[in-house]
Amino acid sequence: MNADDLFVRNVALPDGRSGQDVLALGGRIVAIGPALAAPAGIAELDGRGLLLAPPFVDAHFHMDATLSVGLPRVNESGTLLEGIALWGELKPMLTQEALVERALQYCDWAVAKGLLAIRSHVDVCDDRLLAVEALLHVRERVKSYIDLQLVAFPQDGLLRAPNALANLKRALDKGVDVVGGIPHFERTMADGAESVRILCELAAERGLRVDMHCDESDDPLSRHVETLAAEAQRLGLHGRVTGSHLTSMHSMDNYYVSKLLPLMREAGLHAVANPLINITLQGRHDTYPKRRGMTRVPELMAAGINVGFGHDCVMDPWYPLGSGDMLEVAQMGLHVAQMTSQAQMRVCFDAVTVNNARILGLEGYGLEVGCNADFVLLQARDVVEAIRLRAVRLAVVRRGRVIARTPAARAALDLPGRPSAVDWGLLR
Ligand code: FE2
């Protein structure tokens, strides 16, 4: 018997098919269908009719800052700007050992939650490139569990911070995967647009993807996403460029947005909303009514733009909560965007799985014959139930091997004449 062979019996799939078996051989899915024959001696997982989903993917995270909450102090105002200032205070105190240890602990949590691919931004505005070295090390250490993709992120501004461009290029030379940016944090609108141009040209030259923090404010006139789309178009970077956050779109004039969406679509831009963070950081300068601040998720989707949800932060200078649970992210996303129809809730599940996989450009992702045997068995019968319950990850499988298990949640009542020990949260 091979360690990367596995037979999964009787599962439901995200597309609604039920009673399916999945056969994985050599770490790949070789058959999916009802009543498959299990090869003799193969390891088996009994799905009990529950949901088997492809692994969760996080399209936007900051692994260099994660689990540092309270160092050196907490963010009292709850704003993005205090978070950036706080991170600036913490940076000189960072050590590589502490960065690696916190990142590995987060990866541990992620795997337990079935989160097996993460795109993490890494701050390059530190001449020592301490965080870059640490996360490159972590990427290598965890690679048999997690696909970790790194974005060279000039947190203090590409043109605003000394050495940022040189450091960003050094980070790419060392093997960081994606070009990042933060145009709304540059000193002027013109500098922001210039930073987008420089970074997109750099990505085109090097054949890399782009993922920028873009227009992360409530300022309706923050329109760098327009430049980002135009540059993607001009340089032929279709499908390779992501605009992250895009919160200013929440506050933009509707006429302007009606012109912007087709441009983003034509440029093949991906969009990432970060519901947990956008709902807490944005609107902080408002009295009442307070804006929600999250970008226009259903409108972007209706325009044919691929939209993913990111976790962004877990226990760091910007956000004190979080646990690596992408179902929590999906649940917050559907609440903030008011996407509560059955079809919309299913789309919110896609936003933390397949849509994010497209953003990362993951190969071999999905529950199809020929794909990697990576999946999560959830204690839920369909994707809506999975979001509702933030379902227990009964088993997490990577390349045909079970790498994490969590015991099923059980109901507590044990009354005479009634069934006991049933799955918690599932209607009988
Ligand atoms: Fe971010």
Side-chain angles (χ1 to χ4, degrees):
M1 191 176 76
N2 204 321
D4 42 17
D5 296 346
L6 182 68
F7 186 78
V8 188
R9 190 183 296 282
N10 185 25
V11 289
L13 301 180
D15 63 11
R17 279 178 288 167
S18 60
Q20 302 290 302
D21 301 333
V22 178
L23 176 61
L25 296 176
R28 288 195 175 270
I29 299 171
V30 298
I32 301 179
L36 296 180
I42 194 169
E44 280 200 34
L45 188 60
D46 180 6
R48 298 193 293 119
L50 298 172
L51 177 66
L52 192 77
F56 297 104
V57 181
D58 185 356
H60 188 110
F61 194 60
H62 295 263
M63 203 176 276
D64 50 359
T66 196
L67 309 196
S68 68
V69 66
L71 298 175
R73 58 185 178 83
V74 294
N75 183 337
E76 291 295 344
S77 68
T79 59
L80 171 71
L81 294 182
E82 186 177 344
I84 293 175
L86 223 168
W87 174 239
E89 290 170 38
L90 176 57
K91 261 195 268 190
M93 301 176 208
L94 293 172
T95 66
Q96 189 156 348
E97 296 70 40
L99 279 162
V100 168
E101 186 43 45
R102 287 196 285 263
L104 288 177
Q105 185 173 1
Y106 183 74
C107 288
D108 215 1
W109 296 3
V111 167
K113 293 288 186 190
L115 170 54
L116 302 187
I118 301 172
R119 173 180 279 184
S120 174
H121 296 255
V122 52
D123 187 357
V124 297
C125 292
D126 162 16
D127 294 339
R128 300 170 299 168
L129 292 185
L130 206 67
V132 169
E133 298 285 1
L135 291 195
L136 285 169
H137 174 75
V138 168
R139 186 179 71 182
E140 184 62 23
R141 285 278 295 278
V142 302
K143 69 180 182 191
S144 52
Y145 294 91
I146 294 177
D147 295 305
L148 177 57
Q149 197 177 77
L150 299 177
V151 185
F153 175 45
Q155 170 76 76
D156 300 329
L158 184 80
L159 301 175
R160 181 171 170 171
N163 305 335
L165 179 57
N167 287 349
L168 187 141
K169 288 179 178 170
R170 284 169 57 214
L172 297 177
D173 291 341
K174 285 176 182 290
V176 169
D177 309 275
V178 178
V179 176
I182 185 165
H184 57 276
F185 195 65
E186 305 292 350
R187 289 290 190 190
T188 64
M189 287 292 177
D191 277 1
E194 177 68 358
S195 77
V196 171
R197 187 188 62 75
I198 292 169
L199 290 163
C200 286
E201 284 182 357
L202 183 63
E205 246 168 60
R206 296 193 179 215
L208 299 176
R209 290 172 186 267
V210 176
D211 188 337
M212 287 196 201
H213 284 67
C214 194
D215 303 323
E216 188 181 1
S217 78
D218 299 313
D219 174 6
L221 297 177
S222 187
R223 295 175 169 186
H224 296 296
V225 62
E226 176 188 282
T227 309
L228 186 64
E231 286 299 305
Q233 184 87 296
R234 180 176 73 86
L235 296 163
L237 295 171
H238 300 80
R240 306 180 65 79
V241 178
T242 299
S244 279
H245 291 291
L246 305 177
T247 52
S248 74
M249 286 184 73
H250 187 93
S251 299
M252 281 175 184
D253 172 73
N254 286 338
Y255 171 74
Y256 177 72
V257 172
S258 76
K259 190 164 160 281
L260 175 63
L261 290 173
L263 172 64
M264 292 172 68
R265 169 76 183 89
E266 283 162 33
L269 226 63
H270 304 279
V272 174
N274 297 298
L276 293 162
I277 308 310
N278 299 150
I279 197 65
T280 45
L281 291 185
Q282 302 313 132
R284 290 278 180 163
H285 298 268
D286 292 354
T287 53
Y288 287 94
K290 283 182 193 285
R291 285 168 287 182
R292 293 164 187 231
M294 194 168 79
T295 196
R296 303 187 186 205
V297 173
E299 292 78 9
L300 284 158
M301 288 175 167
I305 295 156
N306 182 44
V307 183
F309 288 161
H311 206 316
D312 199 5
C313 302
V314 170
M315 301 181 76
D316 69 9
W318 295 273
Y319 186 64
L321 303 173
S323 63
D325 183 351
M326 294 306 290
L327 286 173
E328 182 181 10
V329 174
Q331 191 178 71
M332 181 59 76
L334 80 83
H335 280 81
V336 176
Q338 299 182 321
M339 294 174 68
T340 49
S341 76
Q342 291 291 307
Q344 285 177 318
M345 288 195 282
R346 284 195 287 272
V347 165
C348 288
F349 192 86
D350 291 344
V352 293
T353 52
V354 290
N355 296 6
N356 281 349
R358 279 180 66 200
I359 290 168
L360 270 69
L362 293 179
E363 285 172 13
Y365 178 89
L367 281 184
E368 307 278 344
V369 170
C371 289
N372 294 325
D374 299 350
F375 33 76
V376 187
L377 181 64
L378 293 153
Q379 193 181 6
R381 287 166 300 200
D382 57 49
V383 298
V384 172
E385 197 163 63
I387 294 175
R388 177 174 68 83
L389 296 172
R390 287 197 253 146
V392 173
R393 281 64 164 177
L394 297 168
V396 179
V397 175
R398 171 90 167 173
R399 308 295 193 264
R401 277 193 315 132
V402 178
I403 56 172
R405 285 182 189 272
T406 307
R410 313 290 274 185
L413 285 183
D414 188 12
L415 300 176
R418 291 183 58 80
S420 64
V422 292
D423 292 283
W424 178 86
L426 274 57
L427 285 174
R428 282 199 282 272

